Amino acid sequence: MKISYNWLKQFVKIDWDAEKTGELLTDLGLEIEGIEKFCSVPGGLEGIVVGHVVACDQHPNADRLKVTKVDLGDGEPVQIVCGAPNVAKGQKVPVATIGTTLYDAEGKPWQIKKGKIRGQVSEGMICAEDELGLGQSHEGIMVLDKKLKPGTPAHEIFEVENDYVFEIGLTPNRADAMSHWGVARDLRAGLLQQDVAIELITPSTSSFHVDNRTLKIDIKKVDSELAPRYCGLTISGLIVTESPTWLQNRLKAIGLSPINNVVDTTNYVLHELGQPLHAFDAAKISGNEIQVKTLASGTKFTSLDEVERELHAEDLMICDAEGPICIAGVFGGINSGVTEATTSIFLESAYFNPISIRKTAKRHGLNTDASFRFERGIDPNITEYALMRAAILITEIAGGEITSDITDIYPKKIMDHQVVLSFENATNLIGEEIPKETIKSILTSLDIKVNNVTESGIGMTIPAYRNDVTREADVIEEILRVYGYNKINFTEKLHASIATTEKVEDHKIQNKTAGQLMSLGFHEMLNNSLTSPKYISLSEHLNEAHNVTMLNPLSQELSVLRQSMLFGGLEALAYNNNRRTHNVKLFEFGKTYHAYGSGYTENKHLTVIISGNKEDDSWAGNTQKSDFFYTKGVVTAILDRLGISGFFEKGLNNDIFSEGLQLEKNNKTLVAFGVVKKKIGKHFGVDGETLYADFNWDAVLEEIPRGNLVMASIPKFPYVTRDFALLLDDSVSFEGLKEAAMKTEKDLLKEVTLFDVYMGKNLPKGKKSYALSFTIQDEKKTLTDKQVDKIMKKLQDRFEKDFGASLR
């Protein structure tokens, strides 16, 4: 938010420099992110002086150019070549001397240099008003008052305003500071703590009066829930033209482009007092009536930006007798705005429901100065005051008369709220006792009314516009920020307690796992926990009844908390694919959210999503496609790294995976992974094969070993490997064979691996061939062939008995 220092000084007469004032505002909680210098005329007319044209002759080599001699008041006249048709001897003109910087229409600087034009020396430039930033005309040079003395600096003649503009990083809770008046209130409170007694000057409306009652716009219907207060009046006989210089400068300083004197005045009052206003062309209000109401969903409305919008049933609209003319508190309509042909207006000032305005603005993708303030909550009790202030300014600037009484629809007044502050609680929370009189002084300076003071505390009334101060803790925060955080002393002694923590710390395990995945070429992603309710239909395992629905969603597409992390991963995958990144390996730590009959639950997950090749193309060799077994390797590597073993595989049959497995331990699923069904991928625009793994992170954390890490030396005695080629039924799994082998020989069998699978010709129907390798080792002595043969015979017998296997 931009705040003009000159404008601020209209409320508090202060002679501090901008830097010092900015530091105080930051201490008060209005953080100054930057201070910019503003000049109403680009360059401030530096280097521009009054010149006297003492000679003007035709250029010998150009019909449209003149060669002039100009007295700049410092000695010999200089020669300047000029192309303006109106230049003549005897004129007083503005001259840009050599070295002066001027600015083009786009604001780009360029410098005046000595040069030759068609063979004639030119030592400066006689300027038109648009070249100096003093107007739009380029029909000829500016001709100045003949009484002016040559050499007089131009900035002494023209009204050039220099200002400093504060860029304030306003927090959402400080709705009261969304104006120059609001910032001035805080500044006054801060100055009082600096022992600078200063008055807050409030714009006067004592001159407001109704001239006649010749044009009345009836406010016939107001939705009091969505528009708790609505005011309006009419002004007739005004002339719409450009605004006076002072008003344009105020708006330009804070980054606004002047439009016309009526619209500029409403913008001025908005940034002055924080009250949005809207001016309607009264002649375009059908039936001379205003209705503030909602309309049927699907109603068409064309806004000021010429976009046809489809209204929602909850959008509050300003309507006339025929239909909508404005989106209340957000954006005007194309057919009701003020133009140069406007001679009478209906001026609106209102307090709209903040939630309603925020929803409407989000639905239509609009963010205006008005909606920015309405959706945060403005002061409901200055609605009429701001209307009178704007009406006075408009009649002063645009002429005209106030031609109706103020209509003020305010059925249920928004009341100030009461808070009681305990001195003891304030001391405990601040960490230091602040004198009671200082507390009282701070509260008073913030327009908080002190009702009573006792030995133990203060009873007070908080103004309605401070919707962020409703509790005792809020009041203490107000006291502290004005008193000054920097004034609070720190003790030299540090009190701390040693907290006991679990050996398995979630964040450390996450960092360890993330590091492992990154070393494998994965990138971490972070998706929004809010998602679309439509995704529930993609899986029968997800239940719409278990959705956690937002009360005030930003949009329908972000209205529920996710039940699965898969869909956010597919959105990220599609985003990458659409940008020609097809070898994608992503992971995410996050939560899923569910509403059950017993309440709400949150479950932690680690998800992995893989698509494309294992590695990017390289000169070193051919790349391989990522597949189910690669994904399984990544999954088991993560569990191995965390020290989790003894899990078993179980087939996975659901409507998310076309093929998949889940790894279980102690009746808990640690992870489910597999190939995502193509129809789900296509829903997100993903065509290739997508592999997905979903770790139940809570279960994983429970299974991580808590014991001390045991170190063992490498065995001195060699190991022996033997292989089997087994003919098996298709239904037999490697995991089953491995489990049976380990049970058969518990002591000496160290490892079982599968190194070949064959399914095809020369095998009976329903059969497959597995080639298994067995690692056998005795850590105390060297094995003999007889011992190894005996173990292999036991394994063969077990496979024949349990699985009907035979050696090939």
Side-chain angles (χ1 to χ4, degrees):
M1 183 182 74
K2 294 183 182 295
I3 293 292
S4 157
Y5 196 24
N6 287 350
W7 199 344
L8 198 60
K9 289 178 182 179
Q10 292 180 196
F11 295 97
V12 284
K13 299 297 182 183
I14 182 175
D15 57 2
W16 287 12
D17 63 53
E19 288 287 341
K20 187 176 179 181
T21 302
E23 289 174 5
L24 178 55
L25 288 173
T26 297
D27 289 342
L28 289 165
L30 302 177
E31 184 180 358
I32 302 300
E33 296 178 341
I35 302 176
E36 295 179 359
K37 193 172 181 180
F38 169 79
C39 186
S40 59
V41 177
L45 299 180
E46 290 295 328
I48 312 295
V49 298
V50 175
H52 180 210
V53 182
V54 296
C56 181
D57 300 312
Q58 184 65 43
H59 193 294
N61 301 319
D63 293 339
R64 295 186 179 182
L65 298 178
K66 301 284 179 64
V67 179
T68 66
K69 294 285 187 180
V70 182
D71 176 13
L72 300 180
D74 58 357
E76 282 292 314
V78 298
Q79 179 170 295
I80 298 175
V81 177
C82 180
N86 63 328
V87 66
K89 180 181 178 180
Q91 292 175 333
K92 296 289 178 66
V93 293
V95 177
T97 56
I98 293 172
T100 298
T101 299
L102 297 179
Y103 296 82
D104 64 17
E106 296 178 354
K108 295 179 180 178
W110 58 283
Q111 196 173 59
I112 300 294
K113 298 178 181 178
K114 181 178 179 179
K116 283 188 176 182
I117 301 176
R118 296 287 186 94
Q120 295 294 315
V121 173
S122 184
E123 298 180 277
M125 174 178 167
I126 303 174
C127 301
E129 65 177 41
D130 65 327
E131 292 164 335
L132 296 177
L134 296 172
Q136 304 296 323
S137 174
H138 195 70
E139 293 179 358
I141 58 167
M142 291 185 74
V143 180
L144 305 178
D145 191 334
K146 289 187 177 181
K147 295 178 182 179
L148 293 174
K149 184 179 178 182
T152 303
H155 62 76
E156 295 179 7
I157 303 168
F158 298 100
E159 187 179 338
V160 178
E161 181 169 355
N162 292 296
D163 194 1
Y164 289 94
V165 179
F166 300 113
E167 182 69 45
I168 297 180
L170 194 67
T171 53
N173 64 307
R174 291 303 308 277
D176 63 295
M178 294 188 297
S179 66
H180 286 75
W181 191 27
V183 173
R185 274 192 306 241
D186 263 21
L187 182 57
R188 178 196 59 173
L191 288 169
L192 289 173
Q193 292 304 306
Q194 303 281 334
D195 295 324
V196 180
I198 203 161
E199 181 187 357
L200 180 65
I201 302 169
T202 304
S204 173
T205 57
S206 59
S207 63
F208 176 84
H209 66 279
V210 177
D211 296 291
N212 57 66
R213 294 171 176 80
T214 56
L215 177 59
K216 184 180 180 183
I217 303 292
D218 292 322
I219 302 176
K220 287 195 170 182
K221 180 180 179 182
V222 175
D223 186 326
S224 59
E225 182 180 344
L226 301 182
R229 189 173 190 183
Y230 191 85
C231 301
L233 58 72
T234 62
I235 301 175
S236 302
L238 48 77
I239 299 172
V240 179
T241 182
E242 69 175 27
S243 298
T245 302
W246 70 265
L247 178 52
Q248 291 194 40
N249 288 344
R250 286 285 180 265
L251 298 181
K252 287 177 181 177
I254 59 172
L256 297 182
S257 298
I259 299 172
N260 60 54
N261 50 5
V262 174
V263 175
D264 291 350
T265 301
T266 61
N267 285 333
Y268 178 84
V269 174
L270 180 150
H271 289 277
E272 178 186 49
L273 302 177
Q275 171 65 56
L277 301 152
H278 192 77
F280 299 90
D281 188 329
K284 298 175 182 177
I285 298 177
S286 177
N288 276 3
E289 68 176 59
I290 288 290
Q291 300 178 35
V292 186
K293 61 183 181 179
T294 56
L295 298 174
S297 182
T299 301
K300 305 294 184 182
F301 173 72
T302 303
S303 51
L304 198 58
D305 55 358
E306 300 182 359
V307 174
E308 185 178 74
R309 303 179 186 277
E310 191 171 294
L311 301 180
H312 187 275
E314 295 180 0
D315 291 339
L316 184 66
M317 303 298 295
I318 310 300
C319 306
D320 60 12
E322 293 184 355
I325 57 176
C326 176
I327 304 175
V330 181
F331 211 32
I334 194 169
N335 296 319
S336 62
V338 174
T339 66
E340 290 182 358
T342 299
T343 59
S344 59
I345 62 169
F346 173 73
L347 188 60
E348 166 199 277
S349 179
Y351 175 83
F352 296 118
N353 182 295
I355 295 174
S356 170
I357 297 301
R358 177 163 49 83
K359 286 183 175 180
T360 296
K362 294 294 183 184
R363 272 193 290 266
H364 295 287
L366 295 169
N367 182 21
T368 61
D369 283 339
S371 68
F372 177 82
R373 285 158 178 80
F374 277 128
E375 66 189 32
R376 284 161 175 79
I378 61 171
D379 185 354
N381 295 319
I382 66 162
T383 308
E384 185 180 27
Y385 166 68
L387 182 64
M388 290 192 291
R389 169 69 171 158
I392 292 169
L393 287 173
I394 289 173
T395 54
E396 289 177 355
I397 294 169
E401 299 177 326
I402 298 173
T403 50
S404 77
D405 292 312
I406 293 176
T407 303
D408 186 0
I409 311 295
Y410 196 13
K412 186 178 179 181
K413 186 176 180 180
I414 298 172
M415 304 300 294
D416 298 339
H417 36 281
Q418 309 296 317
V419 175
V420 175
L421 169 68
S422 163
F423 291 131
E424 183 181 358
N425 289 344
T427 300
N428 290 338
L429 197 56
I430 293 171
E432 183 177 302
E433 184 175 357
I434 297 176
K436 296 176 183 178
E437 283 303 315
T438 302
I439 290 176
K440 184 178 175 182
S441 170
I442 290 171
L443 294 174
T444 303
S445 69
L446 291 170
D447 291 341
I448 295 174
K449 182 182 177 183
V450 176
N451 299 326
N452 55 77
V453 182
T454 67
E455 283 298 315
S456 59
I458 297 180
M460 68 202 80
T461 300
I462 312 294
Y465 67 80
R466 289 309 305 268
N467 51 35
D468 62 321
V469 182
T470 57
R471 307 166 301 165
E472 181 185 45
D474 299 329
V475 174
I476 294 171
E477 182 183 3
E478 289 297 293
I479 294 168
L480 184 54
R481 73 177 181 85
V482 176
Y483 179 74
Y485 289 97
N486 296 333
K487 290 183 181 179
I488 303 301
N489 296 316
F490 290 90
T491 60
E492 295 182 0
K493 187 184 292 185
L494 178 64
H495 298 277
S497 57
I498 299 174
T500 57
T501 60
E502 289 188 30
K503 202 163 190 178
V504 175
E505 295 183 71
D506 188 5
H507 69 280
K508 290 184 178 179
I509 301 300
Q510 287 191 28
N511 286 341
K512 180 194 291 187
T513 306
Q516 180 185 7
L517 286 167
M518 290 170 69
S519 70
L520 294 172
F522 283 79
H523 292 87
E524 186 169 8
M525 61 179 169
L526 183 63
N527 287 307
N528 199 334
S529 296
L530 294 170
T531 189
S532 171
K534 297 176 183 177
Y535 292 162
I536 296 295
S537 62
L538 297 176
S539 172
E540 295 177 359
H541 285 73
L542 303 177
N543 192 329
E544 186 176 356
H546 297 158
N547 272 341
V548 179
T549 305
M550 304 302 294
L551 294 176
N552 299 309
L554 295 173
S555 69
Q556 191 60 27
E557 294 302 308
L558 298 171
S559 60
V560 299
L561 289 168
R562 62 189 176 192
Q563 289 192 48
S564 170
M565 292 173 63
L566 169 62
F567 308 125
L570 289 172
E571 287 177 341
L573 178 58
Y575 183 89
N576 280 272
N577 287 349
N578 291 339
R579 285 151 184 80
R580 304 183 69 179
T581 301
H582 298 286
N583 301 329
V584 178
K585 295 192 285 187
L586 303 170
F587 72 95
E588 178 182 14
F589 288 99
K591 292 181 179 180
T592 58
Y593 306 86
H594 312 269
Y596 298 121
S598 57
Y600 297 107
T601 62
E602 298 181 10
N603 299 322
K604 294 179 183 177
H605 294 262
L606 162 63
T607 58
V608 173
I609 196 158
I610 303 170
S611 180
N613 297 331
K614 296 178 185 178
E615 305 290 344
D616 290 333
D617 293 338
S618 169
W619 61 269
N622 295 327
T623 58
Q624 293 180 318
K625 278 260 182 205
S626 300
D627 57 16
F628 176 85
F629 297 103
Y630 173 71
T631 307
K632 183 179 179 182
V634 171
V635 167
T636 54
I638 291 171
L639 296 177
D640 288 345
R641 180 74 176 85
L642 298 177
I644 300 174
S645 59
F647 49 80
F648 64 92
E649 297 177 1
K650 185 178 179 181
L652 191 61
N653 182 24
N654 63 29
D655 58 355
I656 289 178
F657 298 111
S658 57
E659 58 177 305
L661 284 177
Q662 62 186 34
L663 305 183
E664 296 184 355
K665 185 176 182 180
N666 297 328
N667 296 319
K668 293 191 291 282
T669 299
L670 300 178
V671 57
F673 62 93
V675 181
V676 178
K677 286 190 174 179
K678 287 190 175 181
K679 69 173 185 178
I680 295 178
K682 284 184 178 179
H683 183 86
F684 296 88
V686 176
D687 295 324
E689 185 176 76
T690 303
L691 300 133
Y692 177 70
D694 184 2
F695 289 81
N696 178 351
W697 195 247
D698 291 312
V700 169
L701 292 176
E702 288 179 14
E703 293 303 323
I704 294 176
R706 260 68 172 177
N708 294 324
L709 187 64
V710 177
M711 306 298 292
S713 61
I714 298 173
K716 297 178 182 179
F717 302 98
Y719 61 83
V720 177
T721 59
R722 294 285 179 88
D723 300 337
F724 272 163
L726 299 174
L727 187 64
L728 302 156
D729 292 336
D730 279 343
S731 59
V732 177
S733 69
F734 166 69
E735 192 65 25
L737 293 169
K738 181 179 178 180
E739 186 178 354
M742 299 304 286
K743 287 180 179 179
T744 301
E745 178 51 59
K746 298 178 181 179
D747 298 328
L748 302 181
L749 184 59
K750 302 301 181 182
E751 190 176 2
V752 181
T753 57
L754 175 67
F755 65 88
D756 187 49
V757 178
Y758 177 73
M759 303 172 71
K761 294 180 180 179
N762 303 322
L763 290 182
K765 187 177 180 181
K767 295 289 185 178
K768 63 183 176 182
S769 174
Y770 272 3
L772 304 180
S773 178
F774 302 88
T775 302
I776 305 167
Q777 185 179 39
D778 190 330
E779 297 179 3
K780 298 179 181 179
K781 61 182 180 180
T782 302
L783 289 168
T784 63
D785 287 342
K786 187 176 181 181
Q787 286 176 297
V788 174
D789 291 341
K790 184 178 179 181
I791 291 170
M792 296 305 293
K793 184 68 171 68
K794 283 167 60 180
L795 292 173
Q796 181 182 346
D797 292 344
R798 182 66 176 267
F799 293 154
E800 289 175 353
K801 179 181 177 182
D802 291 357
F803 302 101
S806 60
L807 295 178
R808 290 188 66 194

